[in-house]
Amino acid sequence: MKTKVIRMNPQELDMEGIREAGEILRQGGLVAFPTETVYGLGGNGLDPQASAKIYRAKGRPSDNPLIIHIADMEDLEKIVKEVPESAKKLASVYWPGPLTMIFQKSDIVPYETTGGMDTVAVRMPDHPLAQALIRAGGGYVAAPSANTSGRPSPTMASHVEEDLDGKIDMILDGGPVGIGLESTIVDFTEEIPTILRPGHITKNMIAKVIGTVQMDAGLSGLDQSVKPKAPGMKYRHYAPKASMTVIQGKKEAVIRRIEELAAEYPKEKVGILAADETLSCYTHGQVVSAGSRNEHTIEQGLYRALREFDHMGVSVIFSESFADDDRSEAIMNRLLKAAGQKIEYLSDK
Ligand code: AMP
Ligand code: MG
């Protein structure tokens, strides 16, 4: 299959291109598109065959459900059984935006889209191109991140091409995304609303709107016997090809320890994941910055940085910890998943 790429400025939509992409979705085909979080791989969420194609293109395990994207609030009721008051409140503040909510699904939503579950995940993205595509495509676009399963999510169209060129009908290139990590997922089918995946919208931000909210016990990854409730969170994920270890502690100690570890490998084979502020502190290895701690751009640059290591062909990566960032919940969740939970804690001395 030849993948057609259409470039467009999200502020000046090429409506002819959007119409063509929407037609592909209506015919059961696949279109990758930018959202404010990461690039999504879209198919008609109400068409079981389109969902099956998404799983095939990504190599995604079939028990890992897809998120259905909508553009208008009135479209929600058709795909869910009921929307609790607290979810309506949260939607009124954070939709459109990087927030996914889980409800009991209605009969119209095929099990092929929900990975066999009776619940459905729904999001309303805050991106003009995504919204226009959803409307042109019939209103219900199932879209996981547009990467090969297991790899870091795409934050620009070239990442999508790297993974999916020749496997999907079209890529809409709207430039780099703004946020860079996937949406926060909140499950409203639990008695207490539960965060199944941390994201740009933090637990505190949610608690301010709806009061009580809890973190899924399986999220920390520390207790292997407690499985995360979002099926996708149990897989090694967001991962570069090389094996990665995160080093956490005081800044100077972390730099010293990473230098020591890096020296055990040939310079071209070892990757170091740092920040703009620490980039020049290393003398050995291939150093990549995820972004600036001071300017809060780590969230935006993390996946790009992980993909850079793949391009360099390093065989081992040592990463600074970003547990001090104001989006640390989401950043550390993805970083530790990418590292297969390998972390070394340095004592304070
Ligand atoms: P992605 O589309 O790659 O961002 O992944 C979507 C995430 O949402 C995965 O971690 C899924 O397991 C999770 N998810 C989607 N639908 C549900 C659902 N009905 N219940 C629990 N988790 C879900
Ligand atoms: Mg994904």
Side-chain angles (χ1 to χ4, degrees):
M1 174 188 298
K2 177 134 181 53
T3 302
K4 181 169 179 180
V5 180
I6 300 184
R7 278 196 187 84
M8 69 175 84
N9 176 351
Q11 309 313 328
E12 267 171 65
L13 294 178
D14 153 17
M15 288 317 284
E16 187 43 41
I18 294 284
R19 202 200 49 75
E20 192 181 336
E23 196 49 38
I24 292 174
L25 293 179
R26 286 174 188 272
Q27 300 295 326
L30 304 186
V31 178
F33 62 100
T35 77
E36 76 278 30
T37 58
V38 300
Y39 271 75
L41 174 57
N44 177 359
L46 305 185
D47 173 354
Q49 275 158 16
S51 289
K53 277 191 197 168
I54 293 178
Y55 284 95
R56 225 175 302 133
K58 281 183 58 101
R60 181 173 174 111
S62 61
D63 67 344
N64 186 2
L66 310 175
I67 295 171
I68 296 188
H69 294 70
I70 59 173
D72 299 288
M73 200 61 195
E74 53 278 17
D75 292 338
L76 179 61
E77 60 191 51
K78 196 167 131 188
I79 52 171
V80 303
K81 284 220 165 107
E82 65 169 330
V83 182
E85 279 310 310
S86 54
K88 283 183 192 152
K89 237 165 130 182
L90 202 57
S92 71
V93 178
Y94 290 119
W95 269 8
L99 169 76
T100 296
M101 293 193 271
I102 293 179
F103 306 106
Q104 295 297 337
K105 79 171 192 70
S106 72
D107 294 340
I108 198 181
V109 181
Y111 284 111
E112 283 79 358
T113 300
T114 66
M117 298 176 88
D118 289 314
T119 52
V120 62
V122 190
R123 180 163 103 84
M124 189 190 289
D126 185 18
H127 192 291
L129 207 162
Q131 291 174 353
L133 175 69
I134 293 165
R135 292 189 182 114
Y140 299 95
V141 176
S145 49
N147 52 286
T148 299
S149 193
R151 293 205 74 207
S153 300
T155 56
M156 47 183 109
S158 63
H159 298 163
V160 181
E161 280 189 79
E162 225 171 83
D163 286 11
L164 298 175
D165 187 34
K167 297 182 175 168
I168 62 177
D169 299 284
M170 183 181 275
I171 298 172
L172 294 177
D173 179 353
V177 302
I179 291 178
L181 294 185
E182 304 82 353
S183 59
T184 308
I185 303 180
V186 187
D187 186 353
F188 278 94
T189 66
E190 296 271 348
E191 205 151 308
I192 300 174
T194 304
I195 296 178
L196 304 189
R197 177 172 72 186
H200 188 76
I201 296 176
T202 63
K203 186 178 171 203
N204 281 343
M205 290 160 75
I206 295 167
K208 273 194 190 132
V209 181
I210 62 168
T212 323
V213 55
Q214 64 181 5
M215 279 285 186
D216 178 28
L219 261 186
S220 76
L222 295 176
D223 184 348
Q224 294 292 323
S225 66
V226 187
K227 292 271 169 282
K229 203 185 164 209
M233 300 303 281
K234 71 176 183 255
Y235 297 106
R236 182 169 184 244
H237 221 149
Y238 319 119
K241 290 172 181 154
S243 138
M244 180 160 86
T245 305
V246 179
I247 313 294
Q248 186 164 312
K250 285 240 168 73
K251 185 176 136 194
E252 290 71 25
V254 167
I255 292 166
R256 219 179 311 124
R257 179 66 181 140
I258 290 181
E259 281 273 273
E260 189 180 291
L261 288 163
E264 293 170 17
Y265 296 84
K267 200 175 162 115
E268 64 283 358
K269 285 290 170 201
V270 57
I272 297 176
L273 183 55
D276 290 356
E277 292 80 12
T278 49
L279 199 58
S280 62
C281 300
Y282 298 94
T283 58
H284 192 84
Q286 315 255 8
V287 194
V288 172
S289 170
S292 160
R293 284 195 165 82
N294 298 343
E295 288 164 34
H296 306 287
T297 55
I298 304 289
E299 187 183 29
Q300 196 183 22
L302 180 66
Y303 287 143
R304 174 201 32 81
L306 292 177
R307 275 184 186 254
E308 272 180 45
F309 290 122
D310 288 348
H311 301 155
M312 292 169 170
V314 301
S315 51
V316 63
I317 301 165
F318 300 106
S319 173
E320 294 179 3
S321 163
F322 301 101
D324 48 346
D325 193 277
D326 65 341
R327 289 291 186 289
S328 67
E329 250 170 23
I331 294 170
M332 291 305 288
N333 170 270
R334 306 309 193 278
L335 188 65
L336 285 171
K337 273 216 172 305
Q341 306 297 329
K342 288 192 295 297
I343 181 162
E344 184 179 320
Y345 296 97
L346 304 177
S347 70
D348 275 353
K349 281 169 278 164

